[in-house]
Amino acid sequence: MNILLAEDDLQLGELISFMLKKKGGYKVDWVTEGDDAYEYAKASHYDVLILDWMMPNGDGISVCQKLRSERYSGAILMLTAKDTVEDRINGLDAGADDYLIKPFEIDELLARLRALTRRNYAPILEEQISIRGLIINRTSQTVLQGEEEIQLSPREFQLLDLLVKNKGQVLPREVILDRIWGIDADVSTKTIDATIKLLRKKLDAFGKQDLLQSIRGVGYKIEN
């Protein structure tokens, strides 16, 4: 399960993130501000978003409302110390699927996450997409041009797929590193540049020299 945790309490956020990884075996991205929660949710696929109600630069309610207004269909769990009936109603009306009051036991959080994923809220990504004559199949993790397959490593495929899903947007190296290798991975941004170089070389062989664009000092993008 892929989880986005938005919690500005550093001690609590670190504890929740650690326990979700240790007891749940989940992959967890942890942010501390509402704006970051929104950007992460838009840029990547998560099975569940865990949003704290009170955060700087966009509280959980505002983030939830904004995502729902843009037809975000993933599961959202709200964390809060607010425990009145009116508060619960406001949270659910904002688009949250569930509501957990602090303090809580980690086992209850894990149970609620399992229940949310069983409801299958997670958005279904297109199995196959096309861009500039390339056919990208996410199920088989293959890239075809006509009848020919472009042989990519798993990392190269993940990188290409990430850029295609966010086409038209510049993805900073740090974001790419987090999404593909994980924020705790013992690799540097030079690894991204090396992977891009290999990927570009393989695409160039099929006449796609300008598909991957470098944004100096920032990262990479694919244009619409």
Side-chain angles (χ1 to χ4, degrees):
M1 193 186 300
N2 199 16
I3 305 292
L4 174 64
L5 169 65
E7 170 60 66
D8 68 320
D9 183 316
L10 299 183
Q11 186 175 1
L12 180 59
E14 185 175 6
L15 176 61
I16 295 174
S17 179
F18 175 76
M19 295 305 290
L20 289 177
K21 293 174 182 177
K22 182 179 180 181
K23 295 194 73 172
Y26 304 146
K27 181 181 182 300
V28 182
D29 289 333
W30 172 31
V31 298
T32 58
E33 298 187 2
D35 288 349
D36 288 339
Y38 172 78
E39 294 297 335
Y40 271 59
K42 294 289 287 184
S44 290
H45 164 69
Y46 294 99
D47 297 289
V48 183
L49 308 184
I50 303 175
L51 303 179
D52 182 36
W53 187 304
M54 300 299 295
M55 290 184 291
N57 297 321
D59 56 67
I61 288 289
S62 299
V63 172
C64 185
Q65 288 174 327
K66 188 174 182 181
L67 288 170
R68 293 306 192 204
S69 71
E70 297 173 359
R71 298 186 179 181
Y72 181 83
S73 58
I76 298 177
L77 171 68
M78 194 73 68
L79 296 181
T80 181
K82 297 175 179 288
D83 60 357
T84 68
V85 173
E86 183 178 359
D87 290 329
R88 297 184 193 194
I89 292 172
N90 289 338
L92 295 172
D93 282 347
D97 300 296
D98 202 355
Y99 191 106
L100 189 56
I101 298 170
K102 299 176 181 178
F104 55 84
E105 296 293 332
I106 193 68
D107 286 337
E108 181 180 3
L109 174 58
L110 292 170
R112 287 174 182 256
L113 291 175
R114 291 193 296 269
L116 283 173
T117 54
R118 284 198 298 269
R119 297 178 199 171
N120 198 27
Y121 284 106
I124 298 174
L125 297 175
E126 293 178 82
E127 177 187 342
Q128 188 169 283
I129 55 176
S130 175
I131 183 167
R132 299 203 189 175
L134 295 179
I135 303 297
I136 301 172
N137 190 304
R138 292 190 173 108
T139 300
S140 61
Q141 293 205 343
T142 57
V143 180
L144 299 175
Q145 177 166 286
E147 298 297 320
E148 280 194 89
E149 180 178 349
I150 303 176
Q151 298 291 333
L152 301 182
S153 71
R155 291 294 191 203
E156 291 165 354
F157 181 87
Q158 290 169 10
L159 183 49
L160 177 62
D161 187 40
L162 178 65
L163 290 167
V164 170
K165 282 189 288 189
N166 295 278
K167 59 187 176 183
Q169 300 182 49
V170 179
L171 293 187
R173 287 177 175 82
E174 293 75 14
V175 172
I176 295 173
L177 182 63
D178 183 21
R179 301 298 192 278
I180 304 299
W181 283 269
I183 197 68
D184 298 324
D186 187 22
V187 297
S188 71
T189 54
K190 291 182 179 180
T191 303
I192 299 171
D193 297 335
T195 306
I196 284 283
K197 185 176 181 180
L198 291 171
L199 177 58
R200 183 177 277 144
K201 183 177 181 180
K202 292 179 180 181
L203 293 173
D204 287 355
F206 286 79
K208 307 299 179 185
Q209 291 88 347
D210 61 343
L211 184 62
L212 301 181
Q213 297 185 20
S214 301
I215 309 302
R216 187 177 180 85
V218 183
Y220 300 95
K221 73 171 181 175
I222 286 178
E223 276 296 350
N224 288 303

